């Protein structure tokens, strides 16, 4: 019996310890390292010296060795870095479009398919197809659709001539909205699957009771079904925030790795500073920490409110 108990303890410790170790090494470790590096002036060459950058000699043309830079990286990000505020604004727009358009559209798809219409399996597969495709492939597909000379959109609009064509991805006033259509095409299918799972988990007795009480289909959904899907609503909210703030692939493919005016995003700025020509890893880490903080604020507030309502006496 003791041997069996010890063996069970070893199995449980392994099942909990190994995933926890992987999580610490590959997620929390780099995250905490980024927070530390955000207070340094490090280019990735050599080590980080635990002394102020002011105390080290600065030679023109020679990168200063890794040193402690205090909060100057944050000051530079908020005051002098030209791409920061446009990137924040574009990330907020991305989040609003996801929250106000892609998520309601995905929920609508889920409700319609859940009603058991003819061919629902086919519609579900078609709408879920963009989620199965890589973002790189989605970017290539939509590049062909948005092509100025022979793309589908301009062909339908009759704007394929040299004097009247529309450059959807090259025009700074249009390219962000064009990419948001691509991203929403995929996000709506993702949200649809999440809400389909939530709708299947709702107790049918709740709907039957609402119908007996004379509630309409609209009233049944918003007053009975939707509140019963609170766990799914929390998941969808978290996914929406994360997907909107980590947007990178479509922008990188569209711009060919080079920044385009109108497509500034925080994730792109992080990548450009960490793996770009300058390799300002300290400053890139600062932008990454800011992005992490921005993503955690709405998620924390929403989860706090949701769990507080759930724990409050009815």
């Amino acid at each position: 019996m003791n041997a069996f108990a010890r063996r069970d303890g070893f199995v449980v410790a392994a099942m909990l310890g190994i995933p926890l170790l992987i999580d610490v090494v590959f997620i929390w470790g780099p995250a905490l390292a980024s927070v530390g590096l955000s207070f340094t002036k490090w280019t990735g060459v050599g080590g980080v010296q635990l002394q102020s950058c002011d105390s080290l000699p600065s030679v023109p043309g020679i990168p200063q060795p890794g040193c402690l830079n205090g909060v100057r990286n944050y000051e530079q990000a908020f005051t002098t870095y030209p791409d920061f505020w446009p990137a924040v604004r574009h990330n907020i727009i991305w989040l609003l479009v996801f929250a106000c358009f892609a998520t309601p559209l995905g929920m609508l798809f889920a409700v319609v398919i859940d009603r058991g219409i003819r061919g629902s399996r086919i519609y579900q597969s078609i709408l879920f197809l963009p989620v199965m495709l890589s973002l790189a492939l989605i970017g290539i597909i939509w590049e062909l659709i948005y092509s100025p000379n022979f793309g589908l959109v301009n062909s339908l609009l009759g704007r394929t001539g040299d004097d009247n064509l529309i450059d959807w991805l090259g025009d700074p006033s249009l390219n962000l909205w064009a990419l948001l259509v691509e991203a929403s095409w995929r996000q709506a299918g993702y949200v649809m699957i999440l809400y389909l799972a939530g709708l299947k988990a709702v107790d049918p007795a709740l709907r039957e009771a609402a119908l007996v009480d004379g509630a309409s289909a609209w009233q049944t959904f918003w007053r009975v079904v939707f509140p019963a899907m609170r766990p799914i609503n929390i998941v969808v909210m978290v996914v929406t925030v994360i997907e909107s703030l980590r947007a990178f692939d479509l922008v990188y493919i569209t711009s060919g790795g080079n920044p385009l005016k109108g497509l500034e995003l925080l994730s792109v700025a992080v990548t450009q500073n960490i793996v770009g020509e300058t390799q300002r890893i300290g400053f890139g880490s600062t932008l990454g920490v800011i992005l992490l903080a921005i993503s955690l604020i709405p998620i924390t507030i929403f989860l706090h409110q949701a769990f507080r309502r759930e724990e409050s006496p009815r």
Side-chain angles (χ1 to χ4, degrees):
M1 187 67 178
N2 291 334
F4 182 74
R6 287 196 298 270
R7 185 175 62 188
D8 283 352
F10 176 77
V11 172
V12 172
M15 293 179 64
L16 295 177
I18 294 176
L20 179 61
L21 179 62
I22 294 175
D23 191 54
V24 169
V25 171
F26 292 102
I27 297 179
W28 288 106
L32 294 176
S34 297
V35 174
L37 290 174
S38 68
F39 297 99
T40 68
K41 189 176 183 181
W42 188 46
T43 62
V45 179
V48 177
Q49 302 182 27
L50 299 180
Q51 53 182 313
S52 174
C53 294
D54 295 333
S55 63
L56 296 177
S58 178
V59 180
I62 299 178
Q64 200 170 17
C67 52
L68 298 180
N69 203 30
V71 296
R72 293 177 184 173
N73 289 340
Y74 291 91
E75 293 176 355
Q76 180 183 354
F78 285 105
T79 58
T80 61
Y81 186 58
D83 290 343
F84 179 76
W85 289 113
V88 172
R89 183 173 65 252
H90 294 160
N91 272 114
I92 293 175
I93 293 174
W94 207 288
L95 175 60
L96 292 176
V97 171
F98 270 17
C100 300
F101 175 72
T103 297
L105 183 62
M107 183 170 61
L108 175 63
F109 290 155
V111 171
V112 172
I113 291 176
D114 185 64
R115 295 177 65 89
I117 62 174
R118 179 178 298 180
S120 59
R121 295 289 184 183
I122 298 176
Y123 296 139
Q124 179 177 334
S125 300
I126 293 174
L127 293 172
F128 187 67
L129 180 62
V131 184
M132 301 173 61
L133 300 177
S134 68
L135 286 171
L137 182 56
I138 291 176
I140 294 173
I141 292 173
W142 281 89
E143 272 194 349
L144 297 177
I145 294 175
Y146 284 135
S147 176
N149 295 313
F150 53 84
L152 176 62
V153 176
N154 277 0
S155 297
L156 293 176
L157 296 176
R159 304 291 294 270
T160 56
D162 293 336
D163 56 340
N164 67 348
L165 59 80
I166 301 176
D167 189 0
W168 294 97
L169 299 179
D171 188 342
S173 63
L174 297 175
N175 52 15
L176 177 64
W177 303 103
L179 285 185
L180 284 171
V181 172
E182 303 179 31
S184 298
W185 179 57
R186 179 183 183 274
Q187 183 71 8
Y190 191 8
V191 173
M192 177 197 69
I193 291 299
L194 294 176
Y195 272 118
L196 275 176
L199 289 169
K200 299 299 182 184
V202 175
D203 188 355
L206 295 176
R207 304 187 187 189
E208 295 173 1
L211 293 176
V212 170
D213 291 340
S216 64
W218 179 264
Q219 292 172 330
T220 300
F221 177 77
W222 284 112
R223 297 186 179 182
V224 178
V225 176
F226 188 75
M229 293 192 299
R230 181 176 297 172
I232 293 297
N233 293 332
I234 294 175
V235 172
V236 169
M237 185 271 174
V238 173
V239 167
T240 299
V241 173
I242 293 175
E243 290 293 327
S244 61
L245 292 179
R246 76 179 186 92
F248 170 78
D249 308 68
L250 295 178
V251 174
Y252 188 83
I253 293 167
T254 301
S255 63
N258 299 314
L260 290 178
K261 186 173 178 56
L263 292 180
E264 298 90 348
L265 290 175
L266 286 174
S267 58
V268 177
V270 171
T271 305
Q272 289 171 352
N273 282 277
I274 291 180
V275 300
E277 295 180 358
T278 57
Q279 282 196 327
R280 297 192 300 169
I281 296 179
F283 185 73
S285 299
T286 299
L287 297 177
V289 172
I290 295 174
L291 179 59
L292 175 63
I294 293 174
S295 63
L296 287 178
I297 290 173
I299 292 175
T300 303
I301 294 174
F302 184 85
L303 291 179
H304 174 72
Q305 296 294 330
F307 289 133
R308 188 173 64 177
R309 287 196 301 266
E310 195 171 286
E311 294 174 357
S312 61
R314 298 181 182 276

